[in-house]
Structures are given as structure tokens and as C-alpha cells.
Amino acid sequence: KDPEIRAFSSEHLQTEQRHLNAMNELLPVFRRSWLLVPWRIAGFITGALPVLFGQAAVYRTIAAVETFVNLHYQEQIEKLNALGNHQALKAQLSEFQMDECAHRDEAAAKSTKPGGLFAWRWVGAIGTGSKVAVTLARFI
């Protein structure tokens, strides 16, 4: 219901959709993770719960998610650097990484209230959950 959060989300939805479309073009359907349904559910919950606690919680959550995404992109870029090829893919991932860092920084700037113990644990859970999801994806 918050018009500021709705505007923020709408503004960044186009970027996220562009990233998703690019990844879908790169990966054939049979190579995509079988975990997409549970991830979508987890993503919905991760986005919906903070709304109950206000703007600061929403922006803190976005910053936490984008912090993880930035690190994940960096790992992939470093792997491509080690291989010494796939320059076009590396450039695309670098562009996407910059987009995510901009989202992170914008959300962090809007989350100026200091968080308490619950906020600190929530942000930690987001990072841990994201790491677990990536680890599972490598095996499933």
C-alpha cells in the first residue's frame, strides 16, 4: 500500500525482468533449476514479510538480497576470468552486477533507521538462505 515502495518496486521490476529474460535465453529449459517453484515462494515470503514492519524493513531486505546477488555475480565473473574466455557473457554479468549494486545502494540509502536485533537476524537469514539456495542449485 505504500506508494514509495510501490514506485521503487515498479522502477526496478523492468531491470529485473531484463535480467531474467537474458538468463532464460542463456539456459535451455532442461538446464534450469528444478527449484524455481520453491524459490518463487521463498522470494514472495522474503518480500511480503518486511512489509508488515514498514519501509525500513523493506529497504533493508532489498539491500541484503542485492548484497548477496552482487557477491554471486562476482563469483561467476571471477570463474569466467579464470577460464579466460566468454567475454560477452562476462560483460553481460558485469552489467547486471552494476544494476544490482545500484539497487542495493538505493535501498540502503532509503533504510536510514538503525535496525535492532530482529533486523540484524533477518538480514543474516536472507544471506544464509541465499547461500543455501545457490548451493542446492549446484546439486539439483
Side-chain angles (χ1 to χ4, degrees):
K1 295 180 182 182
D2 186 313
E4 183 181 325
I5 292 173
R6 290 177 73 83
F8 182 94
S9 299
S10 295
E11 180 181 320
H12 295 291
L13 180 61
Q14 291 178 349
T15 304
E16 299 299 343
Q17 190 62 53
R18 185 171 52 85
H19 294 182
L20 179 61
N21 291 343
M23 292 302 156
N24 284 340
E25 286 180 24
L26 288 171
L27 288 172
V29 173
F30 67 89
R31 296 286 301 172
R32 295 179 193 160
S33 177
W34 295 0
L35 297 171
L36 287 176
V37 171
W39 283 347
R40 287 188 175 131
I41 294 168
F44 176 82
I45 292 168
T46 301
L49 277 178
V51 170
L52 301 173
F53 298 97
Q55 273 188 4
V58 171
Y59 291 128
R60 200 173 286 117
T61 299
I62 293 167
V65 169
E66 300 297 18
T67 295
F68 174 81
V69 172
N70 169 48
L71 295 172
H72 183 62
Y73 272 125
Q74 189 60 41
E75 287 177 11
Q76 304 312 307
I77 291 166
E78 288 172 7
K79 287 178 183 177
L80 292 173
N81 282 337
L83 292 173
N85 53 10
H86 304 289
Q87 296 305 313
L89 177 58
K90 188 168 72 171
Q92 188 173 38
L93 294 180
S94 294
E95 176 191 335
F96 292 175
Q97 181 185 30
M98 288 189 313
D99 291 341
E100 303 300 351
C101 287
H103 295 175
R104 176 202 61 202
D105 295 346
E106 186 178 350
K110 291 179 178 286
S111 175
T112 57
K113 293 181 183 178
L117 179 62
F118 180 76
W120 180 78
R121 288 185 184 266
W122 174 250
V123 167
I126 290 169
T128 300
S130 298
K131 288 176 191 170
V132 168
V134 168
T135 301
L136 286 173
R138 290 184 175 134
F139 296 104
I140 296 177

